[in-house]
Amino acid sequence: MRFSRSVSGWMMAGLLALSLACGGGDDAGEVADAPEMEEAVVTVDPAKAATITGKVKLDGDPPRMPAINMSAEPDCRGLHEAAPPAEVVVASDGMLQNVFVWVKSGLDGKFAVSDTPAMLDQKGCIYSPHVLAVQTGQLLKISNSDPTTHNVHPLPKTNREWNRSQPAEGADIEYKFPREEIMIAVKCNIHPWMRSYISVVNHPFFAVSGADGSFEIKGLPAGSYTVEAVHERFGSQEMSVTLGDAESKDIEFSYSAS
């Protein structure tokens, strides 16, 4: 009994010392990790918001795009009167479509994520639009308007790769990309000609050039920026732009078809 009380006493003393060393006692409470402060969302006064407008030119004759051979897939071929061209380069009147244009650098702070979903459809066994941009954390909805099954397979390098089957006129696939990444290729494992590109950006200041080569990026705070244009075939270009309050500037990117 004497030996047990001695051991018990030493154990109690050790626990007390350990408790005090770890911050126990009435005068020292446990210090929890400080919660991370959420970064405030930047708001831009509409009266002071600046705008970048512009066009993307293609100098020279655009490369001829071959027709897509859908003969092995009658469900796809029957959706077209004639075989559509591969949508790699879309140019008319010297202007270039499907160029992703974004503010690459110069922005400070966090910007609100759009609550409007971005939409990607599969129609006529072709992705529409061919080039799409979303914000990190913005909902992307992928639909299938075709009478055949598709397979949506993004091929990112920074975000997680995934691969989902989508039956004819099935429910939308919904996804949010967590990390910024430019021009993620999207393919269909069933129909190898199907290809689209999704760019994921940490802010809402981006655009994709239209059929006339034009684009508009609005709602910007005043500042000095690097604006980048990216095309899947012709590569990327950068331009510096400085904007004052409520200022609008027009810029032009020019690619060579050769």
Side-chain angles (χ1 to χ4, degrees), residues 62-87:
R64 182 176 175 274
M65 292 295 102
I68 300 173
N69 183 4
M70 297 183 178
S71 59
E73 295 288 345
D75 287 340
C76 294
R77 179 65 186 89
L79 299 173
H80 300 272
E81 293 183 4
E87 193 177 7

Side-chain angles (χ1 to χ4, degrees), residues 17 27 68 90 158 203-204 230 233 250:
D27 296 331
I68 300 173
V90 181
T158 302
H203 57 72
V230 187
R233 178 163 182 155
D250 192 71

Side-chain angles (χ1 to χ4, degrees), residues 43-202:
T43 57
V44 182
D45 183 351
K48 295 182 178 180
T51 303
I52 298 173
T53 59
K55 288 194 174 183
V56 185
K57 293 179 61 178
L58 182 65
D59 295 326
D61 295 329
R64 182 176 175 274
M65 292 295 102
I68 300 173
N69 183 4
M70 297 183 178
S71 59
E73 295 288 345
D75 287 340
C76 294
R77 179 65 186 89
L79 299 173
H80 300 272
E81 293 183 4
E87 193 177 7
V88 175
V89 176
V90 181
S92 60
D93 298 326
M95 299 300 172
L96 187 60
Q97 188 177 359
N98 286 333
V99 180
F100 171 63
V101 184
W102 70 303
V103 175
K104 184 176 182 179
S105 65
L107 289 164
D108 293 320
K110 177 182 177 181
F111 294 85
V113 177
S114 174
D115 56 7
T116 301
M119 308 296 294
L120 179 64
D121 193 13
Q122 295 155 104
K123 191 172 184 178
C125 295
I126 294 173
Y127 282 118
S128 179
H130 182 63
V131 176
L132 175 69
V134 300
Q135 286 179 259
T136 52
Q138 181 182 4
L139 181 63
L140 169 65
K141 287 188 175 184
I142 304 173
S143 56
N144 181 4
S145 297
D146 286 332
T148 187
T149 296
H150 287 300
N151 178 270
V152 183
H153 188 178
L155 301 168
K157 296 179 180 179
T158 302
N159 288 277
R160 181 178 63 84
E161 182 178 347
W162 52 273
N163 183 356
R164 297 184 189 175
S165 179
Q166 191 171 32
E169 300 181 357
D172 289 349
I173 294 173
E174 297 187 350
Y175 189 77
K176 295 179 180 180
F177 288 95
R179 287 175 287 278
E180 189 171 84
E181 187 169 354
I182 305 305
M183 297 294 275
I184 300 170
V186 182
K187 69 175 184 177
C188 173
N189 291 351
I190 300 173
H191 309 107
W193 64 82
M194 290 181 64
R195 181 67 57 125
S196 181
Y197 292 88
I198 299 174
S199 289
V200 186
V201 182
N202 288 332

